């Protein structure tokens, strides 16, 4: 009824291409006729190659959600998660994020455990300019998955600002947990803490480069057992925000800790009730 | 084609002769359209009579009076969002922001149909109106503005908007918010929920907070304004903050994203909102500016993408997804141009020129746009941000721009408040041919 929508057509074409490749691979012609489908920006970046360790990642199952266009590169909302298939007993152990054209491409590494229940994280990142953002997931048994999304960064004319308040480092840790959990049901946990996440690349008012000062590590443990960890780099926005899941087996004490590169840390404890 | 012409009272044949005049000539049956006059230049249907649509209709006629232009807009009177904050602050009445379509019909020969466009068939190139009429087109312009993403913010649906107005489309919602402010007891709190980008009019929430604070300072001096924001930065932030301090002391409090400003649940019945980390704020008047998307007709026409907004080719504002459909104004992804009335007007002129050219198989002239957003912090305290835009490497880019100075004397602020009025009169004159 309506005119063709190229976006959809592209997706369809890609799907067709993929099944075509599957067929061709099956009969041993792969490589002769079509470029490798695992081709992606992760093949051109040293940092991503290091995580891949020579493996060719599957491009299925890892989902990276970012706006196509962002009007404020200082805080771009990002969600990454895995909803593909894995062998029985295998689980996603780690997800790495990269911004190809940032001064240093590493954004963050998230370490999951079976206690997360669902390998998905949301955060906010800094993107210097229009570029590809890459996610790579690694399973416990060493399977690799990769995906990339292009984000266009524009600074909207009406968004020009001239305020510059710096937050007090490691102040106001905030954690939101559901009032109760059911066994085996992952629930959303949200955390936020104030910190300038100074990149080490910016000039202060006196023209001197401000030293790097960032939160490097965030950990969550439940009853003393590590449930989730995040390594953060300077491409994570000021006032780091992390949303992830927990599926604790038993009620108990959850400890949230943030560590910055000056040796300081902040902590927050909450009681989790499983019922 | 002929079938559609029958269903449509304004057939092409009818209009070839009348051209500019509001042609109500009798239908000459059985005569081939191109036989009469010989100057048929094409038919353009424009959906939406706001800043983008009204400007597009007028400038199409100015580009070539032989183009048949039909404007579809349900309202007979359009209330502008620009200066609706001044109405909230008690500086203006609603009549002063009302505009009609007489000049478009009488002077420019635009055919205005007061109806809703209900659907678009981009294969057969026709627009289906709420009256049941079908209008075929050679080129379609959509300028439907925004729609609210109901329930994107938990608890905020159409019923909730009757209690906690958004007032982000000017009209009854704006009047409701004003009457709630007038009924509020002295000592009450006006709570505003501000959205994340992108949304209509980036400085709009903060101008509104200023105008509400102005009204309160005159009539309810013990009352406060609390802004709960889903962002950490906002348009002209430094200028607003300094102006607030100077004019209103600590009457206005702003809580940004990183201080738990993002509202995740609205209870309009109790006038309460809850933030992401569980703080509940109680309001006496609650103004929720919710997440938005392109006006729904854009989705019907198949021009929106999964963001809910419309990607366009930057040099012509033709849809990237559907041929012969041009989209302007708030509905588009035009960043770094903001979603402003000024930009909608500027984009519409580019579209009018591009369509006039394409109907004659000429290439579109090179596009550039300007924008100035004035905001009033007080009746005699204006600030502004301006930008000039061009297409660079296939995308819209800001090539120059600027902001009011940070430490300006009172006279500068007073002058900018005057310029704001001059701007409003000029843009309304340019768009509808009416000013107050
Ligand atoms: C409080 C506030 C203050 C603002 N202040 C300023 C300012 O100072 N300066 C500035 O430049 N901008 C300002 N703006 C922004 C400005 O209002 C918008 O950017 C502008 O209205 C966009 O124009 P538009 O044509 O895209 O949409 P609109 O002007 O909203 O016009 C859309 C029209 O389309 C019609 N329509 C929708 N769907 C259909 C359909 N299916 N069929 C037929 N008709 C339809 C609607 O009835 C409406 O009349 C402000 C906005 C707000 C909310």
């Amino acid at each position: 009824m309506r005119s063709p929508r190229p976006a959809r057509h592209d997706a369809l074409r890609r799907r067709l291409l993929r099944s075509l490749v599957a067929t061709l691979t099956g009969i041993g012609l792969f490589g002769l006729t079509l470029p490798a489908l695992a081709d992606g920006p992760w093949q051109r970046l040293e940092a991503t190659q290091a995580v891949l360790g020579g493996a060719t990642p599957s491009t299925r199952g890892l989902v990276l959600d970012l706006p196509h266009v962002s009007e404020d590169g200082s805080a771009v909302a990002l969600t990454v998660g895995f909803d593909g298939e894995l062998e029985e007993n295998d689980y996603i152990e780690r997800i790495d994020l990269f911004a190809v054209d940032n001064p240093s491409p590493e954004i963050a590494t998230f370490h999951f455990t079976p206690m997360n229940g669902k390998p998905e994280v949301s955060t906010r990142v800094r993107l210097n300019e229009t570029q590809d953002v890459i996610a790579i997931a690694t399973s416990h048994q060493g399977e690799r998955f990769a995906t990339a999304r292009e984000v266009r960064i524009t600074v909207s004319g009406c968004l020009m600002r001239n305020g510059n308040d710096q937050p007090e480092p490691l102040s106001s840790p905030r954690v939101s947990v559901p009032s109760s959990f059911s066994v085996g049901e992952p629930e959303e946990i949200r955390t936020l803490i104030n910190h300038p996440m100074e990149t080490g690349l910016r000039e202060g008012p006196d023209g001197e480069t401000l030293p790097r000062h960032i939160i490097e590590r965030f950990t969550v443990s439940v009853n003393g057992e590590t449930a989730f960890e995040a390594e953060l780099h300077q491409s994570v926005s000021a006032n780091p925000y992390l949303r992830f899941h927990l599926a604790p087996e038993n009620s108990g004490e959850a400890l949230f800790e943030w560590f910055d590169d000056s040796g300081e840390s902040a902590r927050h404890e909450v009681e989790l009730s499983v019922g | 084609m002929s079938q559609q012409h029958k269903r449509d009272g304004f057939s092409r044949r009818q209009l070839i002769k009348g051209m500019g005049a509001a042609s109500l000539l009798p239908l000459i049956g059985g005569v081939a359209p191109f036989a009469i006059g010989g100057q048929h230049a094409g038919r353009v249907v424009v959906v939406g009579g706001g800043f983008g649509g009204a400007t597009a209709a007028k400038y199409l006629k100015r580009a070539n009076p032989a183009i048949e232009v039909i404007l579809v807009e349900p309202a007979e009177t359009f209330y502008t969002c620009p200066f609706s904050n001044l109405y909230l602050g008690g500086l203006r009445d609603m009549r002063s922001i009302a505009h009609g379509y007489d000049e478009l019909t009488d002077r420019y020969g635009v055919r205005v149909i007061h109806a809703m466009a209900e659907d678009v068939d981009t294969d057969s190139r026709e627009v289906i109106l709420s009256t049941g009429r079908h209008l075929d087109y050679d080129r379609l312009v959509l300028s439907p503005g925004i729609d609210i993403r109901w329930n994107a913010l938990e608890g905020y649906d159409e019923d909730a908007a009757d209690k906690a107005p958004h007032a982000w489309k000017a009209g009854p919602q704006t009047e409701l918010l004003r009457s709630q402010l007038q009924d509020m007891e002295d000592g009450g709190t006006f709570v505003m929920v501000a959205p994340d980008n992108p949304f209509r009019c980036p400085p709009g929430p903060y101008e509104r907070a200023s105008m509400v604070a102005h009204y309160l300072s005159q009539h309810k001096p013990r009352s406060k304004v609390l802004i709960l924001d889903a962002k950490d930065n906002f348009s002209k932030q430094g200028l607003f903050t300094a102006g607030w301090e100077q004019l209103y002391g600590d009457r206005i409090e702003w809580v940004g994203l990183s201080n738990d400003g993002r509202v995740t649940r609205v209870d309009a019945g109790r006038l309460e909102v809850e933030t992401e980390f569980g703080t509940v704020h109680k309001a006496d008047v609650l103004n929720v500016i919710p997440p938005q998307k392109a006006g729904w007709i854009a989705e019907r026409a198949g021009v929106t993408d999964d963001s809910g907004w419309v990607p366009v080719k930057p040099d012509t504002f033709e849809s990237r997804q559907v041929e012969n459909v041009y989209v302007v104004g708030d509905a588009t992804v035009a960043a770094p141009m903001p979603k402003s009335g000024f930009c909608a007007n500027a984009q519409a002129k580019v579209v009018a020129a591009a369509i006039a050219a394409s109907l004659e198989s000429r290439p579109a002239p090179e596009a550039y746009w300007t924008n100035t957003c004035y905001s009033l912090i007080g009746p005699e305290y204006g600030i502004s941000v301006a930008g000039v835009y061009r297409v660079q490497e296939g995308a819209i880019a800001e090539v120059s721009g600027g902001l009011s100075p940070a430490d300006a004397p009172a006279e500068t602020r007073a002058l900018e408040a005057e310029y704001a009025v001059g701007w409003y009169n000029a843009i309304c004159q340019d768009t509808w041919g009416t000013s107050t």
Side-chain angles (χ1 to χ4, degrees):
Chain A
M1 153 112 174
R2 253 166 275 288
S3 284
R5 292 165 207 175
R8 217 180 277 165
H9 272 208
D10 272 2
L12 184 67
R13 211 188 53 217
R14 251 178 273 129
R15 238 177 288 137
L16 284 175
L17 214 64
R18 221 178 269 151
S19 55
L20 180 64
V21 168
T23 322
L24 290 173
T25 325
I27 54 174
L29 284 177
F30 181 67
L32 286 177
T33 42
L34 286 168
L37 268 192
D39 184 35
W42 48 85
Q43 290 184 317
R44 295 184 286 278
L45 197 69
E46 223 169 280
T48 45
Q49 282 303 315
V51 174
L52 287 170
T56 302
S58 160
T59 52
R60 284 211 158 104
L62 187 60
V63 181
L64 183 56
D65 190 22
L66 280 154
H68 300 289
V69 180
S70 172
E71 297 180 19
D72 180 3
S74 73
V76 183
L78 172 158
T79 297
V80 62
F82 182 81
D83 63 4
E85 281 174 25
L86 286 172
E87 302 275 303
E88 217 177 311
N89 293 328
D90 199 7
Y91 63 93
I92 294 296
E93 197 171 63
R94 126 178 213 172
I95 293 180
D96 290 85
L97 291 175
F98 302 90
V100 176
D101 291 324
N102 271 7
S104 75
E106 293 85 0
I107 300 174
T109 302
F110 305 113
H111 300 275
F112 302 94
T113 69
M115 220 198 293
N116 290 115
K118 184 177 172 185
E120 185 185 277
V121 183
S122 300
T123 185
R124 294 191 272 265
V125 302
R126 291 173 167 143
L127 297 176
N128 240 22
E129 55 187 276
T130 298
Q131 60 182 290
D132 282 327
V133 174
I134 299 174
I136 296 176
T138 309
S139 82
H140 185 62
Q141 291 176 14
E143 280 202 67
R144 303 296 207 292
F145 303 85
T147 189
R149 272 286 292 269
E150 194 196 36
V151 185
R152 197 157 78 80
I153 302 297
T154 68
V155 177
S156 161
C158 268
L159 285 178
M160 244 187 274
R161 56 195 132 86
N162 48 8
N164 197 15
D165 289 343
Q166 284 298 318
E168 185 65 28
L170 293 168
S171 62
S172 315
R174 290 184 167 95
V175 172
S176 151
V177 302
S179 50
S180 78
F181 292 82
S182 317
V183 177
E185 291 287 321
E187 298 280 355
E188 201 172 271
I189 313 292
R190 285 173 267 182
T191 69
L192 175 68
I193 191 164
N194 289 359
H195 199 286
M197 295 295 280
E198 194 58 66
T199 56
L201 302 166
R202 223 165 52 98
E203 276 181 11
D206 57 1
E208 293 288 306
T209 304
L210 297 165
R212 193 179 97 135
H213 185 197
I214 65 169
I215 293 178
E216 287 183 316
R217 205 157 63 89
F218 167 72
T219 64
V220 184
S221 63
V222 180
N223 292 327
E225 197 185 323
T226 302
F228 176 72
E229 269 190 302
E231 296 166 49
L232 310 181
H233 300 274
Q234 60 261 44
S235 294
V236 170
S237 303
N239 307 314
Y241 170 86
L242 288 166
R243 190 170 70 206
F244 51 93
H245 289 77
L246 279 183
E249 298 277 313
N250 304 301
S251 299
E253 187 85 349
L255 173 63
F256 299 80
E257 286 182 283
W258 294 260
F259 302 89
D260 83 5
D261 54 3
S262 67
E264 301 289 317
S265 68
R267 54 193 277 145
H268 190 94
E269 279 168 60
V270 235
E271 208 57 48
L272 302 184
S273 101
V274 180
Chain B
M1 285 297 257
S2 59
Q3 266 232 322
Q4 286 152 22
H5 276 195
K6 262 176 231 147
R7 271 178 284 159
D8 163 23
F10 306 114
S11 83
R12 208 169 270 188
R13 266 164 275 170
Q14 224 177 334
L15 278 139
I16 327 152
K17 232 186 163 164
M19 297 308 169
S23 82
L24 285 166
L25 295 175
L27 215 154
I28 307 159
V31 184
F34 292 93
I36 316 169
Q39 289 189 40
H40 179 67
R43 177 193 266 192
V44 182
V45 174
V46 180
V47 173
F51 280 90
T55 306
K58 169 172 161 179
Y59 276 81
L60 276 160
K61 278 295 192 185
R62 280 183 53 160
N64 180 0
I67 299 173
E68 180 190 350
V69 180
I70 302 178
L71 176 67
V72 181
E73 162 63 53
E76 292 187 23
T77 302
F78 181 87
Y79 293 95
T80 61
C81 283
F83 278 21
S84 66
N85 287 332
L86 280 61
Y87 159 77
L88 290 174
L91 306 186
R92 287 193 164 230
D93 59 20
M94 282 298 272
R95 268 200 17 233
S96 77
I97 57 169
H99 302 274
Y101 298 94
D102 289 350
E103 195 199 52
L104 284 181
T105 42
D106 299 348
R107 179 150 173 218
Y108 291 98
V110 173
R111 177 113 237 168
V112 179
I113 300 178
H114 291 298
M116 203 73 179
E118 299 245 290
D119 206 351
V120 180
D121 187 331
T122 52
D123 287 334
S124 60
R125 285 201 260 141
E126 54 183 339
V127 178
I128 296 106
L129 305 189
S130 48
T131 54
R133 181 180 283 168
H134 290 224
L135 291 174
D136 60 308
Y137 63 81
D138 296 306
R139 301 289 183 278
L140 175 64
V141 179
L142 300 177
S143 189
I146 54 147
D147 262 317
I148 307 297
R149 286 172 53 205
W150 299 115
N151 289 310
L153 182 53
E154 187 187 327
Y156 198 68
D157 56 16
E158 284 178 91
D159 291 338
D162 292 338
K163 301 186 184 100
H166 54 79
W168 222 238
K169 294 181 180 187
Q173 277 275 307
T174 323
E175 289 173 304
L176 174 62
L177 189 58
R178 167 89 179 147
S179 72
Q180 289 183 346
L181 263 178
Q182 286 171 318
D183 293 345
M184 186 174 88
E185 301 273 319
D186 189 11
T189 305
F190 174 91
V191 176
M192 173 192 286
V193 177
D196 195 2
N197 300 315
F199 65 99
R200 159 175 283 183
C201 196
Y206 315 98
E207 180 188 64
R208 174 170 295 173
S210 312
M211 287 292 101
V212 168
H214 168 73
Y215 166 79
L216 297 176
S217 68
Q218 307 268 298
H219 301 279
K220 308 190 170 159
R222 293 188 297 114
S223 306
K224 298 245 177 230
V225 174
L226 173 65
I227 308 168
L228 298 170
D229 211 323
K231 304 177 290 303
D232 267 334
N233 306 302
F234 62 85
S235 173
K236 302 181 251 186
Q237 184 166 3
L239 291 169
F240 270 113
T241 312
W244 289 343
E245 236 173 74
Q246 197 180 323
L247 298 185
Y248 308 116
D250 56 5
R251 187 183 301 279
I252 301 177
E253 185 189 355
W254 175 78
V255 181
L257 176 67
S258 289
N259 285 309
D260 196 20
R262 174 155 77 177
V263 167
T264 49
R265 193 178 59 83
V266 174
D267 186 338
R270 306 169 69 135
L271 295 182
E272 275 176 12
V273 294
E274 186 179 335
T275 59
E276 191 166 19
F277 290 89
T279 311
V280 174
H281 298 271
K282 175 98 187 79
D284 295 285
V285 173
L286 179 57
N287 175 208
V288 177
I289 304 169
Q292 300 152 32
K293 60 178 183 179
W296 57 269
I297 193 72
E299 200 182 328
R300 302 290 301 171
V303 293
T304 52
D305 68 14
D306 59 8
S307 70
W309 303 100
V310 179
V312 289
K313 298 175 187 166
D315 22 21
T316 57
F317 275 62
E318 186 179 10
S319 159
R320 280 184 190 272
Q321 297 178 189
V322 184
E323 275 194 328
N324 299 318
V325 181
Y326 294 70
V327 188
V328 293
D330 290 356
T332 61
V333 181
M337 295 183 80
K339 296 187 188 304
S340 74
F342 198 142
C343 284
N345 171 280
Q347 292 158 2
K349 290 173 185 170
V350 164
V351 160
I355 290 179
S358 95
L359 288 171
E360 290 175 13
S361 306
R362 282 187 288 114
E366 195 189 334
Y368 77 95
W369 306 265
T370 54
N371 177 63
T372 307
C373 284
Y374 286 98
S375 300
L376 283 198
I377 299 181
E380 284 164 21
Y381 195 117
I383 56 172
S384 66
V385 57
V388 179
Y389 307 88
R390 280 184 186 283
V391 180
Q392 283 177 347
E393 293 169 27
I396 299 171
E398 182 171 326
V399 290
S400 77
L403 204 59
S404 306
D407 297 305
E411 301 84 73
T412 309
R413 304 295 189 218
L415 271 176
E416 287 221 77
E418 269 179 48
Y419 298 158
V421 176
W423 169 82
Y424 181 79
N425 290 339
I427 196 122
C428 292
Q429 184 70 49
D430 190 40
T431 306
W432 296 277
T434 47
S435 58
T436 44

